[in-house]
Amino acid sequence: MRHLALITAIGLALVVPARSQGASSPRAREKAAKKACAAGDYRKGVEILAELYVDTDNVTHIYNQGRCYEQNHQWVSAIDRFREYLRKNSKGTAAERSDAEKHIADCEALHEQEEPKLAPPPVTAPPPAPVMVVPSE
C-alpha cells in the first residue's frame, strides 16, 4: 500500500510539470513570438502567432505576423498577412485600417526597390541588306 502511494506521487510529479510547461500562457507565447521575430527567426515567430490566432481568434496575431515578416524583409508574405488582417478585421477602426494599408504600401515600395531589375534586351541592328554584285560586261 505504501509503495502504491509512492508510485502515484512520483507519477504525478512527472506529469504535472510536463503539462504546465507544454501549455504556456498566451502572454508567454506572445513574448516568445516577439523574441523570435526580433532575432530574425521569422518562421518560428509566425508559427507561434498562427497557433495563438487559432487558439484565440484574435486578429491582432495576424497583424503581428505581417509585422514579423516586414521586420525580416519578407515583403510579399507581409503584404499577404496585412491583407488577411484587413479581411478578417472588417469591423476594425479607420485608424487600424489606415495603419495596415500604410504597412502594405511600405512593403510594396520596399519590394519594388529590392526586386532585381532585369536588363532590357540588347538592341540589335537589323541585318544588313544583301549586296548584289552585278558582273560587268
Side-chain angles (χ1 to χ4, degrees):
M1 182 81 166
R2 202 169 172 187
H3 286 58
L4 183 60
L6 180 61
I7 291 170
T8 303
I10 291 171
L12 285 174
L14 294 173
V15 172
V16 172
R19 281 190 193 151
S20 63
Q21 288 174 355
S24 59
S25 72
R27 181 67 191 125
R29 291 165 52 200
E30 288 170 359
K31 190 174 178 180
K34 187 175 183 179
K35 181 178 176 183
C37 293
D41 191 356
Y42 65 90
R43 286 182 178 96
K44 180 179 178 183
V46 167
E47 181 180 340
I48 294 168
L49 290 164
E51 291 170 359
L52 283 163
Y53 175 68
V54 167
D55 290 348
T56 65
D57 261 352
N58 184 342
V59 294
T60 301
H61 300 304
I62 297 172
Y63 175 89
N64 287 336
Q65 284 179 318
R67 288 289 297 131
C68 186
Y69 280 127
E70 183 179 21
Q71 291 166 348
N72 288 280
H73 301 199
Q74 303 299 310
W75 313 122
V76 174
S77 295
I79 292 165
D80 289 344
R81 297 322 296 156
F82 287 126
R83 286 184 177 147
E84 178 68 3
Y85 167 77
L86 288 171
R87 192 177 74 73
K88 293 279 188 178
N89 193 28
S90 60
K91 295 180 182 173
T93 66
E96 290 169 337
R97 181 174 259 330
S98 175
D99 180 61
E101 289 170 347
K102 172 91 170 81
H103 282 287
I104 291 169
D106 290 347
C107 289
E108 287 173 338
L110 290 164
H111 176 63
E112 237 178 72
Q113 288 175 6
E114 287 185 2
E115 196 170 23
K117 302 291 181 199
L118 297 176
V123 177
T124 57
V131 177
M132 306 262 312
V133 178
V134 179
S136 58
E137 293 185 41

